[in-house]
């Protein structure tokens, strides 16, 4: 469904989260406040994709002001786990702290100081608390991912008691409650987000992590701090695309656009062979550079300026398509939620929050109801790699929310889940919006390609949705690309969302991906 408004829009991957954010906008809240209410709701009703025990990254903008970023990325524990790079689930994978809740603190502070925000934490978290107590309906997505990975998840501490109780099975349409999570959210509402890291709740979290076998301690939690950052930007056509700096792969998303910007993509030609060749080669080059260079800049310099220059450092050939170069790269899976909001005052939020894998590590911490992420898995197992594990270090991060601006005004808010697929989906969306002039729903529904494994499967090569023009598919195969045709509107190519704003700010259009369960609504 294409949503339209003259004042405000919000889009999320679950209709009830969208409605929770919309209620805040109707009550006079701003885009930050709406995003906080929506993401808190998602922590309850979409627990396989996000939660308090994960990370979050924000891009925030108001017309006439430079965009601002927030990195809510937890750091590696002070003690090295014994299975770095090997344990995908369980306590050994729960080896970094969780930065999401502290990012909420910085976003809320900005809301009050600069966006005329007035809503307190009980107002913002209250709907999520009530839903956790009263129960929510298990989504198709939650049921699918539990069924897919139940053998890895069921043995983890606290998991079955939370998500697969005999009276509340993890099946689509069934009802689940989360009383322990409701109590934790209530504590945060009463004492503020820092109570997640310091004080009685933090001590319970630390004790639960220790009992489960995680190396994360109370001192690690206390040291966790989200940070304000200056976003990166590149020119794209007659505007600027914004994303976040390392250790996120925001630089990768922008590098793809920087490479595409060297070539004309005529609107009249649509999604032809040349478009897909350009896209494939730009994605390959940017992912190769990401895997070589992107890491925590506090530990290792990242050549951001060179990466956003005119050529990819890895040297992939962008443009001819006469021969297919190597398509393999180190892959990062990722399941997450993206939220986009634009409020009546022109405030814009692009927010991603994640547990990394679906259901993260699978560890539910003690009696808190908090499901902990497994972001530490993203560290490289190679000892001398820039992204190798080190105490207090943040891992290479897939979260990369996006904005597009012209003449100092936000013209598009967009983002996607999907690990490696995030920068790829972002390139698809922006080219369709800017180069092809499509509305958000049409842009999201157009066919996509995906280079490398998706979060749905581990097969290499290039996935291409079946509704791509058959002549383009044949051309790509003749060029030597390892093509695998997948279903149209395949969830593995990303589950994205987008909001566009016209030049005067008087017309907003938005949608969530038809590959997803999401919904966009407006005032």
């Amino acid at each position: 469904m294409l949503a339209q408004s003259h004042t405000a829009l919000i889009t999320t991957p679950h209709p009830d989260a969208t409605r929770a954010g919309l209620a805040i906008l109707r009550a006079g809240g701003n885009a930050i406040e709406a995003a906080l209410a929506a993401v808190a709701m998602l922590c309850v009703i979409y627990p396989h994709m996000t939660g308090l025990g994960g990370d979050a990254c924000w891009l925030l903008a108001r017309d006439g002001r430079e965009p601002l970023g927030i990195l809510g990325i937890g750091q590696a524990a002070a003690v090295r786990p014994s299975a770095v790079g090997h344990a995908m689930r369980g306590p050994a994978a729960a080896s970094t702290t969780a930065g999401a809740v502290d990012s909420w603190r910085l976003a809320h502070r900005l809301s009050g100081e600069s966006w005329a925000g007035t809503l307190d934490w009980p107002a913002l978290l209250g709907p999520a608390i009530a839903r956790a107590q009263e129960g929510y309906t298990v989504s198709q997505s939650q049921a699918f991912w539990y069924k897919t990975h139940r053998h890895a998840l069921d043995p983890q501490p606290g998991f079955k008691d939370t998500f697969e109780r005999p009276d509340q099975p993890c099946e689509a349409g069934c009802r689940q409650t989360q009383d322990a999570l409701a109590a934790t959210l209530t504590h945060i509402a009463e004492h503020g987000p820092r109570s997640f890291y310091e004080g009685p709740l933090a001590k319970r979290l630390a004790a639960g992590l220790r009992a489960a076998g995680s190396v994360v301690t109370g001192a690690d939690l206390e040291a966790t701090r989200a940070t304000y950052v200056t976003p990166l930007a590149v020119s794209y056509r007659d505007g600027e695309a914004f994303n976040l700096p390392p250790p996120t792969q925001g630089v990768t998303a922008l590098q793809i656009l920087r490479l595409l910007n060297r070539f004309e993509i005529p609107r009249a030609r649509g999604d032809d062979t040349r478009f897909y060749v350009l896209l494939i080669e730009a994605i390959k080059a940017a992912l190769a550079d990401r895997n070589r260079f992107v890491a925590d800049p506090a530990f290792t310099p990242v050549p951001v300026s060179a990466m956003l220059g005119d050529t990819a450092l890895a040297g992939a050939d962008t443009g001819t398509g006469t021969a297919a170069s190597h398509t393999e790269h180190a892959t990062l899976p990722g399941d997450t939620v993206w939220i986009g909001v634009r409020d009546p005052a022109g405030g814009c939020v692009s927010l991603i929050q994640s547990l990394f894998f679906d259901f993260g590590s699978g560890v539910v911490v003690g009696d808190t109801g908090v499901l902990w992420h497994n972001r530490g898995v993203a560290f490289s197992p190679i000892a001398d790699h820039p992204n190798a594990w080190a105490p207090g270090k943040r891992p290479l991060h897939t979260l990369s929310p996006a904005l597009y601006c012209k003449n100092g005004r936000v013209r598009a808010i967009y983002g996607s889940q999907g690990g490696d697929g995030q920068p790829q989906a972002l390139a698809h969306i922006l080219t369709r919006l800017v180069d092809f002039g499509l509305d958000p729903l049409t842009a999201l529904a157009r066919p996509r390609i995906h280079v490398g494994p998706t979060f749905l499967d581990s097969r290499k090569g290039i996935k291409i949705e079946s509704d791509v023009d058959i002549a383009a598919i044949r051309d790509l195969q003749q060029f030597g690309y390892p093509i695998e045709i997948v279903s149209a509107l395949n969830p593995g190519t990303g589950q994205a969302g987008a909001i566009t704003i016209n030049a005067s700010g008087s017309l907003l259009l938005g949608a969530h991906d038809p590959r997803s369960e999401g919904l966009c609504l407006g005032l």
Side-chain angles (χ1 to χ4, degrees), residues 52-55 72-78 94-100 196-197 209 214-225 372-376 393-395 397:
L52 303 182
D55 288 340
I73 298 176
Q75 79 282 0
S95 60
T96 63
T97 66
F196 191 84
Y197 305 93
L209 287 164
S214 168
V215 294
V216 174
T217 67
D220 294 322
L221 293 177
E222 188 172 357
T224 303
R225 290 289 189 282
W372 211 258
H373 64 163
N374 62 335
R375 185 61 65 168
K393 188 176 184 178
R394 299 168 298 173
H397 224 282

Side-chain angles (χ1 to χ4, degrees), residues 41 44 125-136 175 177 182 185-186:
M41 182 65 75
V44 175
L125 303 187
I129 293 167
R131 185 62 62 88
Q133 293 170 331
E134 297 164 5
Y136 66 96
R175 200 79 172 162
T177 58
L185 283 165
T186 298

Side-chain angles (χ1 to χ4, degrees), residues 8 11 24 34 62 68 81 110 150 200 225 243 257 286 331 352 471 487-488:
T11 183
I24 295 296
R62 302 186 83 182
L68 179 67
L110 181 70
R150 65 181 302 170
R225 290 289 189 282
N243 217 297
L257 296 175
T331 58
I352 294 184
S487 63

Side-chain angles (χ1 to χ4, degrees), residues 308-449:
L308 298 182
D310 290 332
T311 59
L313 301 185
D317 176 24
T318 308
T320 65
T322 56
S325 54
H326 195 51
T327 60
E328 296 184 12
H329 55 271
T331 58
L332 292 175
D335 299 311
T336 180
V337 296
W338 177 81
I339 295 169
V341 193
R342 199 269 196 178
D343 66 31
C348 298
V349 170
S350 184
L351 163 63
I352 294 184
Q353 186 168 300
S354 174
L355 293 171
F356 199 32
F357 288 17
D358 54 281
F359 293 106
S361 68
V363 174
V364 179
V365 183
D367 62 352
T368 67
V370 174
L371 181 63
W372 211 258
H373 64 163
N374 62 335
R375 185 61 65 168
V377 171
F379 282 119
S380 172
I382 302 171
D384 60 350
H385 192 280
N387 186 42
W389 188 93
K393 188 176 184 178
R394 299 168 298 173
L396 163 61
H397 224 282
T398 54
L399 301 190
S400 44
L403 293 171
Y404 183 70
C405 300
K406 289 184 183 180
N407 302 317
R409 299 179 70 94
V410 178
R411 299 295 298 276
I413 309 164
Y414 61 110
S416 179
Q417 52 78 266
D420 279 356
Q422 281 190 39
Q424 302 189 44
L426 297 183
H428 281 86
I429 296 165
L430 195 64
T431 53
R432 271 68 182 270
L433 293 175
V434 174
D435 295 288
F436 299 168
L438 303 177
D439 67 74
L441 180 59
T442 307
L444 291 167
R446 291 296 284 268
R448 295 180 193 151
I449 57 100

Side-chain angles (χ1 to χ4, degrees), residues 294-314:
V294 177
D296 188 341
F299 286 73
T300 305
V302 181
V304 170
S305 296
M307 293 173 72
L308 298 182
D310 290 332
T311 59
L313 301 185

Side-chain angles (χ1 to χ4, degrees), residues 462-474:
I462 297 171
K463 281 76 174 174
I464 188 162
E465 290 182 326
S466 59
D467 50 343
V468 168
D469 182 75
I470 189 63
I473 294 176
R474 289 171 178 166

